[in-house]
Amino acid sequence: MKIKIAELFYSIQGEGRYMGVPSVFLRTFGCNFKCAGFGMPRGEASHEATDLAATHTMIRAFEKYEDLPLVSTGCDSYASWHPDFKDLSPMLTSEAIADRICEILPHRRWEDEHLVITGGEPLLGWQRAYPDLLDHPSMHGLKEITFETNGTQKLTHEFKEYLQRWRAQREITFSVSAKLPCSGERWQEAILPEVVCEYEQVGTAYLKFVIATEQDFADAERATEEYRAAGFKGHVYLMPVGGIESVYALNNKNVALLAMKHGLRYSDRLQVPLFKNEWGT
């Protein structure tokens, strides 16, 4: 089977439970959200991604992801879902993906590295293709996998059964970046506790709220209460807004202090200070 791949690279995990762990990132194309509100005054939307997409459509301004500029507002992985950039994301077979993974692993095979399937939204349309990839002989040494998801996509019956078998001797994690109003997405479409509780039936799940202000934190508290009421048992992390260093540095300390004040976990975004959040990091 084939998967439309936005990026495939080796780095360290910069966020959440596996922060600092060497990881292969498989970024799929497509998302059900735009998250145009990040870094903007509440109620306003960023146009950076849209403007770049318009330029790309007119003159094919970018040949590969590494040519794309970073944005200071909105979704920092905008090209992984915006339809005007879909030409930069090839459809690759499971074999081609597995071969490329082996090429970029330090020992050309899985040792202690971790696989991160991210997006876009990796559970949106590719669930049917993952078993074919994960069952490839080159993937047999893999012991840990994380799906970085927005927590709105139910698992198909077939994929859920597959993951329940796969986790018998391995670790499955769902890193759920649930979208608060500061993202620009609607609460009733973004906060779906019953979906995330289902993830806990096949692996470990945790919530990761991107925030910048006290109002954002109040929204995170409200969302957490809804998840807990539905039976969610996982940890909750607070993480600062900022896909570029100047924005990130404005609020990372304040978010860490908020996490300490309320007894929650803080997640850094190591890819920002270490690699400036460049594509492929």
Side-chain angles (χ1 to χ4, degrees):
M1 298 188 74
K2 293 184 177 182
I3 303 174
K4 194 169 182 61
I5 299 299
E7 292 188 285
L8 177 54
F9 60 92
Y10 174 71
S11 186
I12 63 167
Q13 174 59 277
E15 304 173 0
R17 179 188 185 193
Y18 286 96
M19 189 166 59
V21 175
S23 304
V24 171
F25 289 81
L26 178 65
R27 187 184 301 281
T28 62
F29 183 85
C31 191
N32 56 319
F33 288 154
K34 295 181 179 179
C35 297
F38 281 135
M40 298 293 293
R42 205 171 185 88
E44 296 185 21
S46 169
H47 298 288
E48 286 189 71
T50 303
D51 291 344
L52 287 167
T55 300
H56 183 61
T57 299
M58 286 189 294
I59 62 174
R60 282 294 178 262
F62 311 106
E63 294 185 2
K64 55 185 184 299
Y65 269 76
E66 291 78 8
D67 296 334
L68 291 164
L70 301 179
V71 294
S72 58
T73 57
C75 174
D76 60 0
S77 57
Y78 61 92
S80 68
W81 57 263
H82 200 293
D84 289 349
F85 293 107
K86 64 183 180 181
D87 60 301
L88 301 182
S89 298
M91 289 288 291
L92 299 179
T93 64
S94 298
E95 184 172 7
I97 296 169
D99 288 347
R100 177 56 183 152
I101 287 173
C102 286
E103 290 174 4
I104 62 178
L105 284 169
H107 303 289
R108 303 297 185 266
R109 64 181 183 277
W110 291 102
E111 294 285 348
D112 293 327
E113 300 85 9
H114 170 220
L115 176 64
V116 181
I117 301 182
T118 186
E121 171 47 54
L123 298 178
L124 188 61
W126 305 114
Q127 294 184 42
R128 66 189 184 279
Y130 294 140
D132 191 46
L133 171 63
L134 295 175
D135 287 342
H136 190 278
S138 297
M139 304 293 283
H140 286 175
L142 176 64
K143 304 179 185 70
E144 298 172 318
I145 184 171
T146 289
F147 293 95
E148 291 187 335
T149 173
N150 60 31
T152 65
Q153 302 303 305
K154 293 183 178 181
L155 301 176
T156 66
H157 176 73
E158 294 77 12
F159 191 46
K160 185 175 179 180
E161 286 193 338
Y162 175 83
L163 290 178
Q164 287 172 331
R165 295 192 300 272
W166 196 88
R167 72 166 181 170
Q169 298 179 352
R170 290 162 286 199
E171 290 285 332
I172 299 174
T173 300
F174 294 86
S175 175
V176 181
S177 184
K179 305 309 179 188
L180 299 173
C182 62
S183 71
E185 302 300 332
R186 299 175 63 199
W187 187 281
Q188 59 268 39
E189 295 172 357
I191 306 300
L192 302 179
E194 70 281 0
V195 173
V196 177
C197 288
E198 182 189 30
Y199 298 163
E200 290 191 302
Q201 297 174 17
V202 296
T204 299
Y206 63 84
L207 297 170
K208 192 172 59 181
F209 293 115
V210 176
I211 70 170
T213 67
E214 289 277 359
Q215 179 60 62
D216 297 340
F217 175 73
D219 291 334
E221 277 195 310
R222 174 189 167 194
T224 299
E225 289 174 1
E226 292 191 16
Y227 284 103
R228 295 296 188 207
F232 175 73
K233 299 178 177 62
H235 293 299
V236 177
Y237 290 78
L238 300 183
M239 190 169 74
V241 168
I244 62 172
E245 198 164 17
S246 59
V247 177
Y248 164 85
L250 287 174
N251 63 87
N252 59 338
K253 181 178 179 180
N254 290 336
V255 173
L257 291 173
L258 273 173
M260 292 169 59
K261 177 181 178 181
H262 296 280
L264 298 174
R265 298 188 175 204
Y266 171 77
S267 173
D268 209 348
R269 306 188 75 194
L270 291 179
Q271 69 273 24
V272 179
L274 288 180
F275 306 118
K276 313 309 176 190
N277 207 29
E278 293 287 348
W279 299 97
T281 61

